[in-house]
Amino acid sequence: KRARPLRNEMDAAPGLLLAEARRAAAAAENEGVLTKRICDQRTLQHWKLSASHAALMQFANDLAEAVVGRAVSDTCEERPVIGALLAEFDAMAAWIDEIPPIQQAMRYGNKAFKAWHARMAERAPALMAELLEQRAAPESGAPAAPADAAAELAAYFAEAFGSPTRIDYGTGHELQLLAWLRGLELMQVLDPADRPAVVLRVFERYLALMRRLQTTYCLEPAGSHGVWGLDDYQHLVFVFGAAQLVGHARIQPSSIHDEELLAEAGADYLYLAAVAFIRKVKKGPFGEHSPYLNDISAIDSWDKVVKGLLRMYEGEVLGKLPVVQHLRFGALLPWATPYND
């Protein structure tokens, strides 16, 4: 049968404001401009079978493999671009001091976050242009960077820190960071050899920034499953953190119940730091507010934990419509042609 074209973006987004729907429809008509494509179960299934889905899963797996057996304090190659990214995150953290939370009655969603996010989004296009200037010289015959590369990278970056409209943050925003990092590697700003530093330096600094944003502006968990989810906000931190601990002689999955160890080793291991943060911000027995993590602690090896968490990421993050419906596609993350009916 003939391939049926995907639904028009206007049809796929009845709940959007009219202006937003018009922008989405206009973007869909321009090659290389990011646009949302996943809008229903049909396009979700298309996404699950796509090369872009496989590429993001592979990239997450590659990053995990890059830090197996490595502590944050271990030395790793840090090219100037890594330092530039760290300096940028440090500057963004300083903005939090310049934009304090306002007094308001609502518990979640301090509106001062809108100002912080606006400053970050305004900075993003220039930052991406600066990063692309550091792009390694492509080999002879290699394709040039897409004309819209800076704009696409800026869009993923701006989405990685939460929603200024809903004043929330969750695994979908963390996914945008993954897409941004992969885009930097595709554009040869980053190199596969940078992957240890990407996780142990850049991602670690991103986590620190996000925890400050979460606690300062009381960001609401986006699409949280409560006790039926791994964590209210993130997933990849547990994948990469578990990978760090593969083969560790002393720290086992059950070690997360040792609060003295969490304090001692949390700075070196992302998984332990994430558990320590959860224990800090949530009250009550750990097994009650974090049953998934509690169950994982009974697994006998970190290698099994990593494999299970990657499968869970594919199913619960990349495979869930409420999460991936916000993912946008362009030259760096292409949307494949529609499949046949």
Side-chain angles (χ1 to χ4, degrees):
K1 298 181 180 179
R2 294 178 59 189
R4 187 173 64 192
L6 292 175
R7 294 168 57 191
N8 183 279
E9 287 291 325
M10 291 288 287
D11 297 330
L16 296 177
L17 295 175
L18 180 59
E20 185 177 349
R22 284 173 175 165
R23 285 195 297 271
E29 296 173 1
N30 295 284
E31 183 178 358
V33 177
L34 288 177
T35 183
K36 295 178 182 179
R37 295 289 193 179
I38 306 171
C39 56
D40 53 22
Q41 288 300 317
R42 182 176 184 273
T43 48
L44 178 65
Q45 292 306 312
H46 181 135
W47 155 246
K48 289 179 179 180
L49 298 172
S50 71
S52 289
H53 174 282
L56 282 179
M57 271 304 303
Q58 184 60 53
F59 187 59
N61 186 77
D62 291 341
L63 291 177
E65 288 187 352
V67 295
V68 168
R70 290 175 176 257
V72 171
S73 61
D74 288 350
T75 58
C76 60
E77 181 182 359
E78 295 183 46
R79 295 191 301 118
V81 66
I82 299 296
L85 292 174
L86 297 180
E88 199 67 34
F89 283 146
D90 288 344
M92 292 164 65
W95 299 345
I96 300 174
D97 298 323
E98 299 170 15
I99 308 172
I102 63 174
Q103 295 295 320
Q104 63 180 45
M106 296 179 293
R107 176 188 173 191
Y108 279 112
N110 193 282
K111 293 182 180 179
F113 177 66
K114 294 175 180 284
W116 184 93
H117 196 282
R119 184 182 295 189
M120 177 273 299
E122 182 179 10
R123 166 67 177 141
L127 172 61
M128 298 312 126
E130 293 167 13
L131 291 172
L132 286 171
E133 288 178 0
Q134 300 186 44
R135 181 173 181 251
E139 297 177 2
S140 177
D148 293 313
E152 292 187 19
L153 288 169
Y156 290 127
F157 184 80
E159 291 282 347
F161 300 91
S163 167
T165 303
R166 300 181 299 275
I167 314 184
D168 65 7
Y169 171 79
T171 52
H173 302 105
E174 185 190 51
L175 171 60
Q176 302 282 350
L177 185 88
L178 185 71
W180 173 67
L181 290 170
R182 180 176 174 272
L184 289 179
E185 191 170 299
L186 286 174
M187 288 298 94
Q188 300 175 339
V189 174
L190 294 172
D191 185 84
D194 294 319
R195 289 170 183 169
V198 166
V199 176
L200 301 179
R201 302 291 183 268
V202 178
F203 187 73
E204 191 272 340
R205 197 68 57 90
Y206 167 77
L207 292 172
L209 173 58
M210 285 315 310
R211 286 170 187 152
R212 281 200 66 193
L213 290 171
Q214 288 163 229
T215 54
T216 302
Y217 300 120
C218 301
L219 302 187
E220 190 166 2
S224 171
H225 296 293
V227 298
W228 303 114
L230 182 67
D231 178 59
D232 284 340
Y233 295 102
Q234 292 161 329
H235 190 112
L236 287 175
V237 61
F238 299 101
V239 175
F240 302 152
Q244 285 183 275
L245 291 161
V246 169
H248 198 285
R250 184 167 64 99
I251 302 174
Q252 301 301 317
S254 60
S255 299
I256 66 166
H257 301 294
D258 183 342
E259 295 194 40
E260 184 176 333
L261 178 65
L262 295 181
E264 171 193 331
D268 256 345
Y269 297 102
L270 302 180
Y271 197 103
L272 302 186
V275 171
F277 181 72
I278 291 171
R279 287 184 177 275
K280 178 181 177 181
V281 299
K282 290 190 174 184
K283 306 302 179 184
F286 186 78
E288 291 184 7
H289 61 64
S290 302
Y292 269 62
L293 289 171
N294 190 62
D295 290 348
I296 289 171
S297 71
I299 297 175
D300 61 6
S301 78
W302 286 111
D303 185 61
K304 291 179 181 177
V305 172
V306 174
K307 292 176 181 176
L309 287 174
L310 281 169
R311 287 194 300 269
M312 189 177 183
Y313 188 71
E314 183 171 20
E316 297 300 317
V317 178
L318 293 186
K320 293 298 183 182
L321 181 60
V323 177
V324 295
Q325 67 182 341
H326 302 292
L327 194 60
R328 291 184 286 175
F329 298 86
L332 299 180
L333 190 68
W335 181 255
T337 55
Y339 44 37
N340 292 334
D341 292 330

